[in-house]
């Protein structure tokens, strides 16, 4: 037991160090490097609307509002004050939240009059580690294509590994049906939606790459601690439990155990995931206050 606790503590320290370093380093990217693509991106959001319905169907509604906030935060970060920017997660807004995309464009054009600078520091905003470098090269429409290609690769990898390792067509079919019901076709079109699914898919691949049929579930505790921590860091509070539920289903299905043993495994892993999520989140408050 103590050995597992020490391993989880070491994992926490390493994760926290990596997260802090990466979010500070990405804020060293000068605002001028991403300005033109931020302007193009938020203009796309303005033309589509904050909550567009694809095919004029509510089920296919995107969350461009949150994506506009993400672009605003990316643009507001000051490369001359990377630590303060990384911990404060500042952005500019007008009186109405409905103007958030227009506000982001004003920030990119350095038109800050009548805008208030506020902080969104209760989250890590770890998606910036990928969004800011992508904005150096791509605009919003192109980033959506990148995300779509990434989704196709991850889903294809899971399908291949599931069939190759387990020959389990029921599990594979259930997984594919599940993500279809999650409306996977629109998820890569919203940066906010995408994060938890990317984490979940990578978690599933990590499980499928390990010889798990006869493994002790204790060996998977650090993995789910990491998944929980990564969810807290990268996600903008979308549907965090997706990163627990999907990988856990693959792990449970791969173990040849009685249902009581599987239930105990689910409880242990869920608790560890929650600890990882909570510790990384609380650590942001502590570091931000310092």
């Amino acid at each position: 037991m103590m050995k597992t606790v020490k391993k989880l503590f070491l994992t926490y320290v390493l994760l926290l160090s990596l997260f802090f370093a990466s979010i500070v380093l990405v804020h060293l990217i000068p605002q001028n490097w991403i300005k033109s693509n931020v302007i193009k991106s938020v203009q796309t959001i303005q033309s589509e609307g904050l909550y567009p319905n694809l095919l004029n169907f509510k089920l296919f509604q995107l969350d461009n509002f949150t994506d506009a906030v993400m672009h605003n935060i990316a643009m507001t970060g000051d490369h001359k004050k990377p630590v303060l920017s990384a911990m404060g997660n500042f952005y500019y807004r007008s009186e109405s939240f409905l103007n958030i995309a227009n506000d982001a464009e004003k920030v990119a054009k350095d038109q800050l009059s009548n805008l208030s600078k506020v902080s969104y520091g209760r989250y890590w905003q770890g998606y910036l580690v990928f969004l800011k470098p992508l904005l150096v090269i791509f605009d919003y429409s192109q980033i959506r294509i990148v995300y779509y290609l990434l989704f196709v690769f991850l889903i294809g990898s899971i399908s291949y590994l599931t069939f190759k390792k387990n020959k389990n067509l029921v599990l594979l079919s259930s997984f594919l049906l599940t993500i279809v019901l999650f409306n996977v076709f629109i998820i890569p079109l919203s940066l906010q939606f995408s994060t938890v699914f990317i984490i979940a898919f990578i978690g599933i691949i990590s499980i499928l790459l390990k010889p798990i049929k006869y493994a002790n579930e204790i060996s998977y505790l650090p993995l789910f601690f990491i998944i929980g921590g990564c969810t807290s860091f990268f996600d903008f509070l979308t549907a965090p439990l997706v990163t627990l539920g999907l990988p856990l289903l693959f792990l449970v299905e791969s173990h040849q155990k009685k249902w009581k043993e599987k239930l105990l495994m689910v409880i242990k892993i869920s608790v560890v995931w929650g600890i990882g999520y909570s510790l990384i989140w609380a650590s942001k408050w502590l570091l931000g206050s310092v």
Side-chain angles (χ1 to χ4, degrees):
M1 181 64 179
M2 284 305 300
K3 185 178 180 181
T4 301
V5 172
K6 289 179 181 178
K7 185 180 291 187
L8 292 178
F9 178 75
L10 179 60
T11 303
Y12 163 70
V13 172
L14 292 174
L15 272 183
L16 185 60
S17 302
L18 177 62
F19 290 159
F20 180 78
S22 62
I23 198 67
V24 171
L25 287 174
V26 80
H27 277 85
L28 291 173
I29 296 176
Q31 292 161 293
N32 284 336
W33 288 16
I34 66 173
K35 178 185 294 187
S36 62
N37 280 326
V38 168
I39 292 173
K40 291 178 184 177
S41 298
V42 294
Q43 286 176 346
T44 297
I45 291 174
Q46 290 173 41
S47 65
E48 292 179 353
L50 295 181
Y51 296 102
N53 295 327
L54 301 185
L55 304 177
N56 200 29
F57 189 34
K58 185 71 172 178
L59 185 62
F60 296 102
Q61 180 175 286
L62 303 180
D63 185 6
N64 286 359
F65 174 86
T66 305
D67 285 3
V69 175
M70 293 162 72
H71 280 82
N72 196 320
I73 295 173
M75 190 65 226
T76 302
D78 187 352
H79 70 281
K80 296 179 181 178
K81 300 176 181 178
V83 177
L84 180 62
S85 297
M87 293 295 98
N89 304 123
F90 301 102
Y91 70 103
Y92 286 92
R93 52 158 296 192
S94 55
E95 291 185 5
S96 174
F97 265 112
L98 297 179
N99 295 327
I100 192 65
N102 186 48
D103 295 343
E105 183 178 0
K106 288 181 178 179
V107 174
K109 293 180 177 179
D110 202 26
Q111 300 170 353
L112 304 181
S113 58
N114 301 320
L115 296 180
S116 302
K117 189 176 184 180
V118 293
S119 172
Y120 223 137
R122 62 182 179 274
Y123 302 117
W124 277 95
Q125 314 291 352
Y127 57 82
L128 292 172
V129 172
F130 301 107
L131 179 58
K132 289 196 75 167
L134 284 171
L135 284 171
V136 174
I137 306 171
F138 305 115
D139 62 29
Y140 188 48
S141 298
Q142 295 165 334
I143 291 174
R144 283 171 161 175
I145 295 173
V146 172
Y147 272 51
Y148 237 103
L149 293 174
L150 177 59
F151 264 62
V152 170
F153 172 76
L154 292 174
I155 294 171
S157 299
I158 292 170
S159 301
Y160 171 76
L161 290 171
T162 303
F163 182 75
K164 180 184 177 183
K165 293 197 69 174
N166 297 331
K167 299 292 190 296
N168 193 334
L169 291 177
V170 174
L171 176 60
L172 177 56
S173 301
S174 300
F175 165 71
L176 294 176
L177 177 60
T178 298
I179 60 174
V180 167
L181 294 175
F182 269 130
N183 215 346
V184 71
F185 308 107
I186 71 163
I187 290 172
L189 299 179
S190 283
L191 307 184
Q192 189 226 5
F193 293 163
S194 301
T195 305
V196 291
F197 286 91
I198 292 172
I199 295 171
F201 292 162
I202 293 174
I204 292 171
I205 291 171
S206 300
I207 290 170
L208 291 173
L209 288 174
K210 294 183 70 175
I212 58 179
K213 284 202 170 185
Y214 305 102
N216 190 320
E217 67 269 15
I218 296 298
S219 64
Y220 291 95
L221 294 182
L223 172 61
F224 278 86
F225 185 95
I226 291 171
I227 292 173
C230 287
T231 305
S232 180
F233 180 72
F234 290 107
D235 182 36
F236 206 168
L237 198 59
T238 307
L241 287 176
V242 168
T243 68
L244 169 64
L246 289 180
L248 187 53
L249 286 173
F250 272 78
L251 184 60
V252 169
E253 178 62 26
S254 300
H255 272 274
Q256 304 299 318
K257 292 188 174 187
K258 296 179 180 179
W259 72 268
K260 289 184 179 180
E261 295 174 318
K262 288 187 176 183
L263 179 59
L264 182 60
M265 178 173 67
V266 168
I267 293 172
K268 288 179 182 177
I269 288 176
S270 298
V271 169
V272 168
W273 180 95
I275 292 173
Y277 185 94
S278 302
L279 277 178
I280 294 299
W281 197 356
S283 297
K284 172 63 192 297
W285 302 340
L286 176 62
L287 289 173
S289 299
V290 172

mmCIF file of all heavy atoms in Angstrom, residues 140-175:
data_model
loop_
_atom_site.group_PDB
_atom_site.id
_atom_site.type_symbol
_atom_site.label_atom_id
_atom_site.label_comp_id
_atom_site.label_asym_id
_atom_site.label_seq_id
_atom_site.Cartn_x
_atom_site.Cartn_y
_atom_site.Cartn_z
ATOM 1 N N TYR A 140 -8.642 29.051 -36.974
ATOM 2 C CA TYR A 140 -9.660 28.194 -36.366
ATOM 3 C C TYR A 140 -10.149 27.091 -37.306
ATOM 4 O O TYR A 140 -10.232 25.913 -36.908
ATOM 5 C CB TYR A 140 -10.831 29.090 -35.941
ATOM 6 C CG TYR A 140 -11.908 28.441 -35.120
ATOM 7 C CD1 TYR A 140 -11.615 27.645 -34.011
ATOM 8 C CD2 TYR A 140 -13.255 28.663 -35.428
ATOM 9 C CE1 TYR A 140 -12.623 27.084 -33.246
ATOM 10 C CE2 TYR A 140 -14.265 28.107 -34.653
ATOM 11 C CZ TYR A 140 -13.949 27.319 -33.568
ATOM 12 O OH TYR A 140 -14.947 26.764 -32.808
ATOM 13 N N SER A 141 -10.443 27.448 -38.542
ATOM 14 C CA SER A 141 -10.948 26.458 -39.503
ATOM 15 C C SER A 141 -9.912 25.373 -39.759
ATOM 16 O O SER A 141 -10.244 24.183 -39.860
ATOM 17 C CB SER A 141 -11.324 27.144 -40.819
ATOM 18 O OG SER A 141 -12.352 28.093 -40.624
ATOM 19 N N GLN A 142 -8.650 25.749 -39.854
ATOM 20 C CA GLN A 142 -7.583 24.781 -40.106
ATOM 21 C C GLN A 142 -7.313 23.917 -38.883
ATOM 22 O O GLN A 142 -7.019 22.722 -39.011
ATOM 23 C CB GLN A 142 -6.312 25.530 -40.534
ATOM 24 C CG GLN A 142 -6.462 26.250 -41.869
ATOM 25 C CD GLN A 142 -5.367 27.271 -42.113
ATOM 26 O OE1 GLN A 142 -4.774 27.813 -41.169
ATOM 27 N NE2 GLN A 142 -5.089 27.555 -43.383
ATOM 28 N N ILE A 143 -7.427 24.510 -37.684
ATOM 29 C CA ILE A 143 -7.249 23.733 -36.455
ATOM 30 C C ILE A 143 -8.334 22.665 -36.345
ATOM 31 O O ILE A 143 -8.082 21.544 -35.892
ATOM 32 C CB ILE A 143 -7.262 24.657 -35.224
ATOM 33 C CG1 ILE A 143 -6.011 25.533 -35.216
ATOM 34 C CG2 ILE A 143 -7.334 23.840 -33.927
ATOM 35 C CD1 ILE A 143 -5.990 26.581 -34.120
ATOM 36 N N ARG A 144 -9.542 22.996 -36.793
ATOM 37 C CA ARG A 144 -10.613 21.998 -36.803
ATOM 38 C C ARG A 144 -10.236 20.802 -37.669
ATOM 39 O O ARG A 144 -10.517 19.649 -37.307
ATOM 40 C CB ARG A 144 -11.899 22.635 -37.334
ATOM 41 C CG ARG A 144 -12.622 23.522 -36.333
ATOM 42 C CD ARG A 144 -13.750 24.282 -37.004
ATOM 43 N NE ARG A 144 -14.723 24.794 -36.060
ATOM 44 C CZ ARG A 144 -15.753 25.566 -36.398
ATOM 45 N NH1 ARG A 144 -15.937 25.905 -37.663
ATOM 46 N NH2 ARG A 144 -16.597 25.991 -35.485
ATOM 47 N N ILE A 145 -9.601 21.057 -38.795
ATOM 48 C CA ILE A 145 -9.164 19.963 -39.672
ATOM 49 C C ILE A 145 -8.108 19.112 -38.960
ATOM 50 O O ILE A 145 -8.144 17.878 -39.014
ATOM 51 C CB ILE A 145 -8.607 20.522 -40.994
ATOM 52 C CG1 ILE A 145 -9.725 21.230 -41.771
ATOM 53 C CG2 ILE A 145 -7.997 19.404 -41.843
ATOM 54 C CD1 ILE A 145 -9.238 21.962 -43.019
ATOM 55 N N VAL A 146 -7.174 19.788 -38.278
ATOM 56 C CA VAL A 146 -6.139 19.068 -37.519
ATOM 57 C C VAL A 146 -6.788 18.166 -36.466
ATOM 58 O O VAL A 146 -6.412 16.994 -36.314
ATOM 59 C CB VAL A 146 -5.165 20.064 -36.847
ATOM 60 C CG1 VAL A 146 -4.207 19.328 -35.909
ATOM 61 C CG2 VAL A 146 -4.382 20.840 -37.898
ATOM 62 N N TYR A 147 -7.772 18.691 -35.765
ATOM 63 C CA TYR A 147 -8.457 17.912 -34.736
ATOM 64 C C TYR A 147 -9.221 16.737 -35.350
ATOM 65 O O TYR A 147 -9.257 15.640 -34.775
ATOM 66 C CB TYR A 147 -9.410 18.799 -33.941
ATOM 67 C CG TYR A 147 -8.770 19.489 -32.760
ATOM 68 C CD1 TYR A 147 -7.594 20.217 -32.911
ATOM 69 C CD2 TYR A 147 -9.318 19.428 -31.487
ATOM 70 C CE1 TYR A 147 -6.996 20.850 -31.843
ATOM 71 C CE2 TYR A 147 -8.735 20.059 -30.408
ATOM 72 C CZ TYR A 147 -7.570 20.775 -30.589
ATOM 73 O OH TYR A 147 -6.977 21.390 -29.522
ATOM 74 N N TYR A 148 -9.838 16.977 -36.502
ATOM 75 C CA TYR A 148 -10.573 15.896 -37.166
ATOM 76 C C TYR A 148 -9.626 14.763 -37.543
ATOM 77 O O TYR A 148 -9.932 13.579 -37.338
ATOM 78 C CB TYR A 148 -11.301 16.422 -38.407
ATOM 79 C CG TYR A 148 -12.784 16.162 -38.374
ATOM 80 C CD1 TYR A 148 -13.676 17.181 -38.077
ATOM 81 C CD2 TYR A 148 -13.296 14.883 -38.595
ATOM 82 C CE1 TYR A 148 -15.044 16.943 -38.014
ATOM 83 C CE2 TYR A 148 -14.652 14.633 -38.542
ATOM 84 C CZ TYR A 148 -15.521 15.668 -38.249
ATOM 85 O OH TYR A 148 -16.870 15.423 -38.176
ATOM 86 N N LEU A 149 -8.467 15.100 -38.097
ATOM 87 C CA LEU A 149 -7.478 14.088 -38.475
ATOM 88 C C LEU A 149 -6.978 13.338 -37.248
ATOM 89 O O LEU A 149 -6.781 12.117 -37.288
ATOM 90 C CB LEU A 149 -6.314 14.744 -39.213
ATOM 91 C CG LEU A 149 -6.630 15.347 -40.592
ATOM 92 C CD1 LEU A 149 -5.416 16.086 -41.147
ATOM 93 C CD2 LEU A 149 -7.087 14.260 -41.567
ATOM 94 N N LEU A 150 -6.783 14.072 -36.142
ATOM 95 C CA LEU A 150 -6.341 13.437 -34.906
ATOM 96 C C LEU A 150 -7.395 12.465 -34.385
ATOM 97 O O LEU A 150 -7.080 11.355 -33.957
ATOM 98 C CB LEU A 150 -6.044 14.508 -33.850
ATOM 99 C CG LEU A 150 -5.623 14.002 -32.462
ATOM 100 C CD1 LEU A 150 -4.355 13.158 -32.552
ATOM 101 C CD2 LEU A 150 -5.418 15.180 -31.504
ATOM 102 N N PHE A 151 -8.665 12.861 -34.444
ATOM 103 C CA PHE A 151 -9.752 11.983 -34.000
ATOM 104 C C PHE A 151 -9.802 10.709 -34.839
ATOM 105 O O PHE A 151 -9.966 9.613 -34.312
ATOM 106 C CB PHE A 151 -11.094 12.724 -34.081
ATOM 107 C CG PHE A 151 -11.531 13.337 -32.781
ATOM 108 C CD1 PHE A 151 -10.762 14.319 -32.174
ATOM 109 C CD2 PHE A 151 -12.693 12.927 -32.158
ATOM 110 C CE1 PHE A 151 -11.152 14.888 -30.972
ATOM 111 C CE2 PHE A 151 -13.096 13.490 -30.952
ATOM 112 C CZ PHE A 151 -12.318 14.471 -30.359
ATOM 113 N N VAL A 152 -9.679 10.869 -36.156
ATOM 114 C CA VAL A 152 -9.708 9.698 -37.039
ATOM 115 C C VAL A 152 -8.562 8.752 -36.698
ATOM 116 O O VAL A 152 -8.745 7.532 -36.616
ATOM 117 C CB VAL A 152 -9.618 10.128 -38.518
ATOM 118 C CG1 VAL A 152 -9.407 8.922 -39.417
ATOM 119 C CG2 VAL A 152 -10.897 10.872 -38.935
ATOM 120 N N PHE A 153 -7.387 9.307 -36.447
ATOM 121 C CA PHE A 153 -6.222 8.483 -36.103
ATOM 122 C C PHE A 153 -6.433 7.755 -34.779
ATOM 123 O O PHE A 153 -6.170 6.539 -34.673
ATOM 124 C CB PHE A 153 -4.968 9.362 -36.013
ATOM 125 C CG PHE A 153 -3.761 8.643 -35.480
ATOM 126 C CD1 PHE A 153 -3.057 7.759 -36.283
ATOM 127 C CD2 PHE A 153 -3.346 8.846 -34.171
ATOM 128 C CE1 PHE A 153 -1.948 7.073 -35.787
ATOM 129 C CE2 PHE A 153 -2.239 8.173 -33.664
ATOM 130 C CZ PHE A 153 -1.540 7.284 -34.483
ATOM 131 N N LEU A 154 -6.913 8.463 -33.755
ATOM 132 C CA LEU A 154 -7.081 7.849 -32.433
ATOM 133 C C LEU A 154 -8.176 6.781 -32.444
ATOM 134 O O LEU A 154 -7.993 5.691 -31.885
ATOM 135 C CB LEU A 154 -7.407 8.933 -31.399
ATOM 136 C CG LEU A 154 -6.283 9.917 -31.075
ATOM 137 C CD1 LEU A 154 -6.782 11.014 -30.143
ATOM 138 C CD2 LEU A 154 -5.081 9.208 -30.458
ATOM 139 N N ILE A 155 -9.306 7.085 -33.085
ATOM 140 C CA ILE A 155 -10.391 6.103 -33.158
ATOM 141 C C ILE A 155 -9.963 4.889 -33.980
ATOM 142 O O ILE A 155 -10.267 3.741 -33.632
ATOM 143 C CB ILE A 155 -11.660 6.749 -33.751
ATOM 144 C CG1 ILE A 155 -12.201 7.811 -32.793
ATOM 145 C CG2 ILE A 155 -12.734 5.692 -34.024
ATOM 146 C CD1 ILE A 155 -13.316 8.659 -33.370
ATOM 147 N N GLY A 156 -9.239 5.140 -35.067
ATOM 148 C CA GLY A 156 -8.724 4.039 -35.879
ATOM 149 C C GLY A 156 -7.746 3.172 -35.103
ATOM 150 O O GLY A 156 -7.783 1.932 -35.202
ATOM 151 N N SER A 157 -6.884 3.808 -34.305
ATOM 152 C CA SER A 157 -5.911 3.064 -33.494
ATOM 153 C C SER A 157 -6.612 2.205 -32.447
ATOM 154 O O SER A 157 -6.236 1.044 -32.230
ATOM 155 C CB SER A 157 -4.943 4.041 -32.809
ATOM 156 O OG SER A 157 -4.213 4.787 -33.760
ATOM 157 N N ILE A 158 -7.630 2.766 -31.801
ATOM 158 C CA ILE A 158 -8.385 2.001 -30.801
ATOM 159 C C ILE A 158 -9.080 0.815 -31.458
ATOM 160 O O ILE A 158 -9.065 -0.312 -30.931
ATOM 161 C CB ILE A 158 -9.417 2.907 -30.097
ATOM 162 C CG1 ILE A 158 -8.704 3.938 -29.227
ATOM 163 C CG2 ILE A 158 -10.383 2.082 -29.247
ATOM 164 C CD1 ILE A 158 -9.612 5.025 -28.676
ATOM 165 N N SER A 159 -9.678 1.039 -32.606
ATOM 166 C CA SER A 159 -10.378 -0.040 -33.317
ATOM 167 C C SER A 159 -9.411 -1.152 -33.708
ATOM 168 O O SER A 159 -9.696 -2.343 -33.521
ATOM 169 C CB SER A 159 -11.070 0.522 -34.567
ATOM 170 O OG SER A 159 -11.993 1.537 -34.217
ATOM 171 N N TYR A 160 -8.261 -0.769 -34.220
ATOM 172 C CA TYR A 160 -7.256 -1.757 -34.642
ATOM 173 C C TYR A 160 -6.740 -2.562 -33.451
ATOM 174 O O TYR A 160 -6.678 -3.802 -33.507
ATOM 175 C CB TYR A 160 -6.101 -1.041 -35.341
ATOM 176 C CG TYR A 160 -4.919 -1.929 -35.615
ATOM 177 C CD1 TYR A 160 -4.944 -2.865 -36.652
ATOM 178 C CD2 TYR A 160 -3.769 -1.843 -34.830
ATOM 179 C CE1 TYR A 160 -3.857 -3.692 -36.900
ATOM 180 C CE2 TYR A 160 -2.679 -2.661 -35.065
ATOM 181 C CZ TYR A 160 -2.724 -3.591 -36.105
ATOM 182 O OH TYR A 160 -1.640 -4.405 -36.339
ATOM 183 N N LEU A 161 -6.377 -1.863 -32.364
ATOM 184 C CA LEU A 161 -5.819 -2.546 -31.198
ATOM 185 C C LEU A 161 -6.855 -3.438 -30.517
ATOM 186 O O LEU A 161 -6.535 -4.528 -30.036
ATOM 187 C CB LEU A 161 -5.277 -1.516 -30.200
ATOM 188 C CG LEU A 161 -4.012 -0.768 -30.633
ATOM 189 C CD1 LEU A 161 -3.705 0.372 -29.669
ATOM 190 C CD2 LEU A 161 -2.818 -1.719 -30.716
ATOM 191 N N THR A 162 -8.109 -2.982 -30.461
ATOM 192 C CA THR A 162 -9.169 -3.782 -29.839
ATOM 193 C C THR A 162 -9.380 -5.078 -30.600
ATOM 194 O O THR A 162 -9.506 -6.158 -30.005
ATOM 195 C CB THR A 162 -10.491 -2.988 -29.792
ATOM 196 O OG1 THR A 162 -10.283 -1.766 -29.082
ATOM 197 C CG2 THR A 162 -11.584 -3.796 -29.102
ATOM 198 N N PHE A 163 -9.405 -4.977 -31.911
ATOM 199 C CA PHE A 163 -9.612 -6.173 -32.720
ATOM 200 C C PHE A 163 -8.377 -7.080 -32.705
ATOM 201 O O PHE A 163 -8.495 -8.299 -32.581
ATOM 202 C CB PHE A 163 -9.945 -5.785 -34.158
ATOM 203 C CG PHE A 163 -10.231 -6.967 -35.044
ATOM 204 C CD1 PHE A 163 -11.425 -7.661 -34.952
ATOM 205 C CD2 PHE A 163 -9.277 -7.414 -35.964
ATOM 206 C CE1 PHE A 163 -11.683 -8.766 -35.751
ATOM 207 C CE2 PHE A 163 -9.521 -8.512 -36.765
ATOM 208 C CZ PHE A 163 -10.734 -9.192 -36.657
ATOM 209 N N LYS A 164 -7.212 -6.476 -32.779
ATOM 210 C CA LYS A 164 -5.975 -7.260 -32.838
ATOM 211 C C LYS A 164 -5.698 -7.986 -31.522
ATOM 212 O O LYS A 164 -5.354 -9.175 -31.517
ATOM 213 C CB LYS A 164 -4.788 -6.356 -33.175
ATOM 214 C CG LYS A 164 -3.462 -7.096 -33.247
ATOM 215 C CD LYS A 164 -2.296 -6.145 -33.496
ATOM 216 C CE LYS A 164 -0.968 -6.890 -33.504
ATOM 217 N NZ LYS A 164 0.192 -5.970 -33.684
ATOM 218 N N LYS A 165 -5.865 -7.300 -30.385
ATOM 219 C CA LYS A 165 -5.487 -7.871 -29.105
ATOM 220 C C LYS A 165 -6.580 -8.742 -28.500
ATOM 221 O O LYS A 165 -6.309 -9.778 -27.905
ATOM 222 C CB LYS A 165 -5.126 -6.751 -28.116
ATOM 223 C CG LYS A 165 -3.848 -5.994 -28.499
ATOM 224 C CD LYS A 165 -3.308 -5.225 -27.338
ATOM 225 C CE LYS A 165 -2.767 -6.143 -26.275
ATOM 226 N NZ LYS A 165 -2.093 -5.449 -25.173
ATOM 227 N N ASN A 166 -7.832 -8.288 -28.625
ATOM 228 C CA ASN A 166 -8.914 -8.974 -27.927
ATOM 229 C C ASN A 166 -9.838 -9.784 -28.831
ATOM 230 O O ASN A 166 -10.596 -10.625 -28.333
ATOM 231 C CB ASN A 166 -9.766 -7.953 -27.150
ATOM 232 C CG ASN A 166 -8.972 -7.247 -26.075
ATOM 233 O OD1 ASN A 166 -8.024 -7.796 -25.533
ATOM 234 N ND2 ASN A 166 -9.352 -6.019 -25.770
ATOM 235 N N LYS A 167 -9.787 -9.483 -30.124
ATOM 236 C CA LYS A 167 -10.746 -10.094 -31.065
ATOM 237 C C LYS A 167 -12.180 -9.931 -30.535
ATOM 238 O O LYS A 167 -13.022 -10.796 -30.714
ATOM 239 C CB LYS A 167 -10.424 -11.582 -31.254
ATOM 240 C CG LYS A 167 -9.041 -11.866 -31.824
ATOM 241 C CD LYS A 167 -8.917 -11.397 -33.258
ATOM 242 C CE LYS A 167 -7.636 -11.897 -33.923
ATOM 243 N NZ LYS A 167 -6.426 -11.382 -33.311
ATOM 244 N N ASN A 168 -12.394 -8.787 -29.839
ATOM 245 C CA ASN A 168 -13.659 -8.568 -29.158
ATOM 246 C C ASN A 168 -14.521 -7.616 -29.991
ATOM 247 O O ASN A 168 -14.476 -6.391 -29.833
ATOM 248 C CB ASN A 168 -13.406 -7.986 -27.763
ATOM 249 C CG ASN A 168 -14.642 -8.023 -26.895
ATOM 250 O OD1 ASN A 168 -15.763 -8.017 -27.387
ATOM 251 N ND2 ASN A 168 -14.428 -8.049 -25.583
ATOM 252 N N LEU A 169 -15.315 -8.188 -30.868
ATOM 253 C CA LEU A 169 -16.160 -7.373 -31.736
ATOM 254 C C LEU A 169 -17.283 -6.688 -30.971
ATOM 255 O O LEU A 169 -17.739 -5.604 -31.359
ATOM 256 C CB LEU A 169 -16.747 -8.240 -32.860
ATOM 257 C CG LEU A 169 -15.736 -8.734 -33.913
ATOM 258 C CD1 LEU A 169 -16.438 -9.636 -34.918
ATOM 259 C CD2 LEU A 169 -15.080 -7.555 -34.616
ATOM 260 N N VAL A 170 -17.722 -7.321 -29.868
ATOM 261 C CA VAL A 170 -18.774 -6.705 -29.052
ATOM 262 C C VAL A 170 -18.259 -5.423 -28.405
ATOM 263 O O VAL A 170 -18.927 -4.380 -28.421
ATOM 264 C CB VAL A 170 -19.265 -7.692 -27.979
ATOM 265 C CG1 VAL A 170 -20.251 -6.997 -27.033
ATOM 266 C CG2 VAL A 170 -19.911 -8.905 -28.624
ATOM 267 N N LEU A 171 -17.047 -5.495 -27.837
ATOM 268 C CA LEU A 171 -16.444 -4.316 -27.219
ATOM 269 C C LEU A 171 -16.203 -3.225 -28.257
ATOM 270 O O LEU A 171 -16.505 -2.045 -28.029
ATOM 271 C CB LEU A 171 -15.124 -4.689 -26.541
ATOM 272 C CG LEU A 171 -14.317 -3.535 -25.925
ATOM 273 C CD1 LEU A 171 -15.130 -2.821 -24.850
ATOM 274 C CD2 LEU A 171 -13.000 -4.052 -25.347
ATOM 275 N N LEU A 172 -15.670 -3.608 -29.408
ATOM 276 C CA LEU A 172 -15.395 -2.640 -30.464
ATOM 277 C C LEU A 172 -16.683 -1.996 -30.957
ATOM 278 O O LEU A 172 -16.758 -0.762 -31.105
ATOM 279 C CB LEU A 172 -14.659 -3.320 -31.620
ATOM 280 C CG LEU A 172 -14.354 -2.449 -32.847
ATOM 281 C CD1 LEU A 172 -13.559 -1.215 -32.441
ATOM 282 C CD2 LEU A 172 -13.615 -3.252 -33.903
ATOM 283 N N SER A 173 -17.693 -2.810 -31.188
ATOM 284 C CA SER A 173 -18.978 -2.278 -31.665
ATOM 285 C C SER A 173 -19.606 -1.356 -30.626
ATOM 286 O O SER A 173 -20.173 -0.314 -30.969
ATOM 287 C CB SER A 173 -19.934 -3.428 -31.998
ATOM 288 O OG SER A 173 -19.389 -4.275 -32.990
ATOM 289 N N SER A 174 -19.512 -1.745 -29.360
ATOM 290 C CA SER A 174 -20.074 -0.927 -28.279
ATOM 291 C C SER A 174 -19.371 0.418 -28.190
ATOM 292 O O SER A 174 -20.009 1.462 -27.997
ATOM 293 C CB SER A 174 -19.960 -1.666 -26.946
ATOM 294 O OG SER A 174 -20.657 -2.876 -26.989
ATOM 295 N N PHE A 175 -18.043 0.389 -28.339
ATOM 296 C CA PHE A 175 -17.268 1.632 -28.300
ATOM 297 C C PHE A 175 -17.662 2.559 -29.448
ATOM 298 O O PHE A 175 -17.924 3.753 -29.236
ATOM 299 C CB PHE A 175 -15.773 1.314 -28.369
ATOM 300 C CG PHE A 175 -14.914 2.515 -28.689
ATOM 301 C CD1 PHE A 175 -14.741 3.519 -27.746
ATOM 302 C CD2 PHE A 175 -14.284 2.631 -29.920
ATOM 303 C CE1 PHE A 175 -13.958 4.639 -28.044
ATOM 304 C CE2 PHE A 175 -13.493 3.730 -30.215
ATOM 305 C CZ PHE A 175 -13.333 4.742 -29.275
#
